[in-house]
Amino acid sequence: MHFHGPRELFFACLVSGLLVPLPEDVALLVAGWALRQGELEWAPTLAAAFIGVLGRDLIAFSAGYWLEQWLEARPGGQRLLRARRVQRARQLFEEHGLKMLFA
């Protein structure tokens, strides 16, 4: 893997874990190596990495949110979601939001 510019890093971070079964850490390590070698510039690389990772997280969060809404509206979806588990997860998130995201 080699990046010719921030655009490739952005797309690598955006699709990591969603379309490609690799975490964004691999792309970030390669970008760090390229920065160390002087092949990339700091500001555009940092911006591309940040926006790519944030975009991927927003896509994943939104997909989970909308999938839950869609399942709840379907007959039998409640059984699949097991309302008690969903309620417990919501309660834990309300009590420990950032800690749960970090974990």
Side-chain angles (χ1 to χ4, degrees):
M1 179 185 296
H2 181 73
F3 299 116
H4 297 287
R7 186 179 347 185
E8 290 89 2
L9 175 62
F10 166 76
F11 284 113
C13 290
L14 187 67
V15 301
S16 64
L18 297 174
L19 300 176
V20 179
L22 290 173
E24 77 275 358
D25 300 343
V26 175
L28 294 175
L29 285 170
V30 172
W33 181 262
L35 281 169
R36 178 83 168 124
Q37 299 301 315
E39 298 170 6
L40 296 175
E41 296 180 28
W42 276 96
T45 301
L46 185 61
F50 180 77
I51 295 168
V53 170
L54 181 63
R56 193 271 330 268
D57 289 346
L58 286 172
I59 290 168
F61 178 82
S62 298
Y65 176 82
W66 292 110
L67 180 63
E68 180 197 6
Q69 300 297 319
W70 184 79
L71 283 172
E72 280 184 345
R74 301 288 178 263
Q78 296 275 334
R79 278 183 283 138
L80 183 62
L81 291 174
R82 296 190 180 155
R84 201 168 79 217
R85 285 186 186 174
V86 172
Q87 185 58 32
R88 176 71 176 138
R90 285 182 178 158
Q91 178 186 0
L92 286 171
F93 187 76
E94 287 175 9
E95 293 173 8
H96 308 284
L98 290 177
K99 291 183 271 184
M100 282 187 63
L101 287 176
F102 181 75

